[in-house]
Amino acid sequence: MTTTADATATAAAPHRTAAVALTPVFVRLKLSLLRNGLKGSSKRKAAYVTSLAFALVVGFLVTLGLALLHGRAHAGTVVVVLAAILALGWAFMPLFFPTGDETLDPSRLVMLPLRPRPLVRALLVSSLVGIGPLFTLCLAVGSVIAVARNAAGVVAGILSVPLLLLVCVALARAVATANVRLLTSRKGRDLALLSGLLIAVGAQVANFASQRLFETGGLARLEPVEEVLRWLPPATAVGMVDSASEGAYARAAAQLLLTLAALAGLLWFWERGLTRLMVTPDGSTLTAAEPAKGRGAGGFWALLPGGRTGAAMQRTLRYAVRDPKTKASWVSALAIGMIVPVFNALQGTGSVYLACFGAGMLGIQMYNQFGQDTSAFWMVAQTLSTPRDAYVELRARACALALVTVPYTVLVATVTAALVGDWRGFPAALGLSLALLGSMLCTGAVASARFPYSIPTDGAFKNVAPGQAGLAWISIFGGMLASALLCAPVIALTVWLGLADHQDAYWLLVPLGVGWGLLASWAGLRLAAPTVVRRLPEILAAVSKG
């Protein structure tokens, strides 16, 4: 007579068999997709091989460098901090590059009859196939070699390497699964476009921090940070090896338990995310029930002038907020324009005149105005029948830029002067920045009329359509050179006042810079307007090419 337990075991056996069989299927699927993807494009194959070779070379060099730390005083500090940074990278890279590993997108599996738990196991194992896990494995091995000083450390290291790798991969997959709906939406693409900016900012911060670190005591200053990080997974996996090598077996056991608990928690969180993804409908497919309540009719938009000027200003500002590439360009300019003078000031190599860099970064936004509209420019072109129409259109766009760029220029000049401590040079820097900004609005309007080019919408990092790179170079760099020449009289006056020891007269440069910038902007708009009407068919063809 069959008991209830036997019946349960018999019913569960196919599920266990399916779970075991699912893992090799996913691994083979991952390998097949990678292999087939490389067959279609020689460029993709070259990029993948280059990335693999680069990861192997860098991984080998980092492993060698960590191995040379064996027996050094601060080896444990270095590897624990490195493990924490590595985990941070694994957590955030899926948010910045959501399409970097399309073969593991869980939303592609929601229609298959798969249970979440065996799916997690299969995805975890197949996620170990790739360049990222290979590079992480190299770092893990090098970290263990650096801190394993006896047999206990070696035994702990054998456990540490796979644990560190599994926690990092599970962390990345759990984060990606929890945010998969965001990553496939417009906001997710916006986040991916801003990844380059965030990486650049992070590199500047890391560079500054490393310089300050070695100037003020070296790696010893990291020991308080390391004491905290060694108890945070997955850095606990590396800290366990260091503790075992020192004979602190109880501490090593506690760090091992923390690592295992973190891995179990991440797998549980990942499984919950998969379950929710499989049973919850995509909100983007549901009809929005919220009625529009007078959008664009009040608030800030009510402060803009009426008529064509206000409409064009509002359109330009909305592009800066809603269009992914325009938004990325604006945010990059705003961030880098502040980072360069501030970081130079903090490093002791700054000058108050570096505030001009912020004005220059934002002035570039005036270039290729019609290309930023892409193929939608044809709707604007229908309303440009006279030079007056073109002048009002360009003036409105310049005014929209000025709403942001003028206060920002004043802010950058003020912050730079405060950090450098050169308040006597502040008026000269501010006046020169405003003159440069006006000159770039002038040359940007002329360049937009004479050298328009298309901005592709299909690629995150494609900013120029094929065959138009020369136009982009002429437009931007030629315009920047022309802006410098336009500012030459103001620059010459600033230099003369400094050499003649007339710093008290620097305040005269503020109204001079404002007037010079306004005059240059007006002249540029007047010159560009007839050209826009005359070359309207060519401009339409150029901006619609991509």
Side-chain angles (χ1 to χ4, degrees), residues 216-235:
T216 56
L219 294 174
R221 292 181 61 87
L222 285 178
E223 289 183 355
V225 178
E226 182 264 344
E227 289 294 332
V228 176
L229 292 179
R230 68 166 51 241
W231 292 102
L232 297 178

Side-chain angles (χ1 to χ4, degrees), residues 125-336:
V125 176
S126 59
S127 296
L128 298 176
V129 179
I131 297 176
L134 177 62
F135 183 75
T136 304
L137 180 63
C138 294
L139 293 184
V141 171
S143 299
V144 169
I145 294 174
V147 293
R149 297 184 293 275
N150 50 35
V154 172
V155 172
I158 294 174
L159 296 174
S160 171
V161 171
L163 282 176
L164 178 61
L165 180 59
L166 288 174
V167 171
C168 287
V169 173
L171 176 62
R173 292 296 100 194
V175 171
T177 301
N179 296 277
V180 66
R181 294 277 166 79
L182 167 67
L183 298 179
T184 54
S185 66
R186 191 190 73 183
K187 290 184 178 180
R189 291 191 293 271
D190 292 353
L191 186 63
L193 284 170
L194 297 177
S195 60
L197 167 66
L198 296 178
I199 292 173
V201 173
Q204 289 289 336
V205 173
N207 179 45
F208 176 70
S210 62
Q211 290 184 6
R212 298 290 294 176
L213 177 67
F214 289 106
E215 288 174 0
T216 56
L219 294 174
R221 292 181 61 87
L222 285 178
E223 289 183 355
V225 178
E226 182 264 344
E227 289 294 332
V228 176
L229 292 179
R230 68 166 51 241
W231 292 102
L232 297 178
T236 48
V238 180
M240 172 186 65
V241 182
D242 192 30
S243 299
S245 298
E246 293 176 355
Y249 300 120
R251 188 173 67 189
Q255 290 169 329
L256 174 61
L257 290 177
L258 280 175
T259 308
L260 292 172
L263 179 60
L266 287 171
L267 293 176
W268 175 80
F269 182 74
W270 185 7
E271 182 180 345
R272 280 196 62 187
L274 279 174
T275 303
R276 186 167 56 250
L277 183 67
M278 290 179 171
V279 301
T280 306
D282 188 355
S284 64
T285 63
L286 303 178
T287 304
E290 222 179 290
K293 297 182 180 179
R295 293 178 182 175
F300 171 75
W301 307 119
L303 301 177
L304 299 179
R308 183 189 187 110
T309 299
M313 290 178 67
Q314 185 175 156
R315 183 179 67 245
T316 300
L317 294 173
R318 286 190 184 276
Y319 276 165
V321 174
R322 294 181 176 180
D323 180 65
K325 290 200 172 182
T326 306
K327 181 191 297 186
S329 177
W330 269 96
V331 174
S332 300
L334 289 169
I336 297 175

Side-chain angles (χ1 to χ4, degrees), residues 19-36 101 103-104 109 118-130:
V20 173
L22 190 62
T23 300
V25 169
F26 267 71
V27 173
R28 289 196 301 269
L29 177 64
K30 176 69 177 289
L31 293 173
S32 299
L33 290 173
L34 288 176
R35 183 173 59 252
N36 294 336
D101 191 0
T103 62
L104 299 178
L109 308 173
L119 184 59
V120 165
R121 188 181 302 114
L123 286 174
L124 179 63
V125 176
S126 59
S127 296
L128 298 176
V129 179

Side-chain angles (χ1 to χ4, degrees), residues 313-544:
M313 290 178 67
Q314 185 175 156
R315 183 179 67 245
T316 300
L317 294 173
R318 286 190 184 276
Y319 276 165
V321 174
R322 294 181 176 180
D323 180 65
K325 290 200 172 182
T326 306
K327 181 191 297 186
S329 177
W330 269 96
V331 174
S332 300
L334 289 169
I336 297 175
M338 180 68 79
I339 286 172
V340 170
V342 167
F343 272 76
N344 277 277
L346 293 176
Q347 292 174 355
T349 59
S351 168
V352 68
Y353 294 103
L354 280 177
C356 297
F357 188 83
M361 288 297 300
L362 286 183
I364 294 177
Q365 305 306 311
M366 187 64 188
Y367 291 79
N368 196 34
Q369 276 293 307
F370 307 129
Q372 294 176 22
D373 295 354
T374 62
S375 57
F377 176 66
W378 74 269
M379 300 179 66
V380 178
Q382 305 304 313
T383 65
L384 302 179
S385 56
T386 65
R388 175 65 184 174
D389 296 334
Y391 172 76
V392 174
E393 175 71 24
L394 287 171
R395 184 186 62 185
R397 295 177 183 237
C399 289
L401 293 177
L403 283 179
V404 179
T405 56
V406 173
Y408 177 82
T409 300
V410 176
L411 175 64
V412 172
T414 304
V415 171
T416 306
L419 292 176
V420 175
D422 186 9
W423 287 108
R424 293 190 67 187
F426 167 72
L430 179 58
L432 192 57
S433 298
L434 293 174
L436 176 62
L437 178 60
S439 299
M440 296 196 74
L441 293 178
C442 165
T443 56
V446 175
S448 297
R450 293 190 173 275
F451 306 107
Y453 56 91
S454 176
I455 300 178
T457 58
D458 56 345
F461 302 100
K462 294 180 181 179
N463 294 315
V464 182
Q468 293 186 330
L471 286 173
W473 280 86
I474 293 173
S475 174
I476 296 177
F477 290 99
M480 292 171 65
L481 178 60
S483 300
L485 294 176
L486 279 176
C487 281
V490 182
I491 296 173
L493 179 59
T494 306
V495 173
W496 179 80
L497 289 175
L499 294 177
D501 199 20
H502 293 314
Q503 286 88 352
D504 293 337
Y506 275 166
W507 285 105
L508 296 175
L509 292 172
V510 176
L512 177 62
V514 173
W516 192 275
L518 289 173
L519 180 62
S521 302
W522 175 81
L525 297 175
R526 284 293 183 187
L527 287 172
T531 307
V532 170
V533 177
R534 188 174 62 252
R535 301 189 70 248
L536 196 55
E538 291 89 338
I539 295 174
L540 270 171
V543 301
S544 302

